Amino acid sequence: MRASRVAEGNDQAIEPSHRAKGQPVTAVVPRFRCIQEPNGSWQVWDDAEDQPAALGNTVLVERSFESATSACSILNRIYDGDFQLKVRSTRGGPSRSL
């Protein structure tokens, strides 16, 4: 059963950061979105799989709003290929992206 309310801002079109200058903006529908469950908690919904999302072995249901929106943002960034892992050198050198 789908929840009744969608977190504001999670259902809006976003612009990919890798869009070339001068290219038209195209709407991208995020794969993951936060929806409120009937008991007031939140879950992250995976529209591609039509079921609650999972991160690792954890199904993202019955979460606080903050936890759900954070997980949703991370999952959408990973899915969109816009997530860069920053590695800090243990020898005091500068951080680098992978």
Side-chain angles (χ1 to χ4, degrees), residues 8-96:
E8 291 180 21
N10 285 335
D11 60 344
Q12 296 178 359
I14 58 172
E15 177 183 345
S17 60
H18 57 275
R19 181 178 65 89
K21 187 174 182 178
Q23 294 294 319
V25 175
T26 57
V28 176
V29 177
R31 174 176 174 168
F32 302 95
R33 58 192 172 104
C34 294
I35 52 178
Q36 191 172 28
E37 298 182 68
N39 66 2
S41 64
W42 291 82
Q43 68 174 285
V44 179
W45 189 261
D46 183 344
D47 280 326
E49 298 294 327
D50 201 30
Q51 65 183 12
L55 192 55
N57 292 328
T58 304
V59 179
L60 300 172
V61 297
E62 296 187 11
R63 304 286 166 201
S64 68
F65 177 78
E66 293 81 13
S67 174
T69 55
S70 293
C72 187
S73 176
I74 290 167
L75 287 168
N76 278 318
R77 288 174 59 199
I78 292 169
Y79 178 74
D80 291 340
D82 191 30
F83 189 81
Q84 289 189 358
L85 176 63
K86 295 213 177 211
V87 178
R88 175 170 282 160
S89 171
T90 57
R91 297 180 185 189
S95 298
R96 60 186 172 94

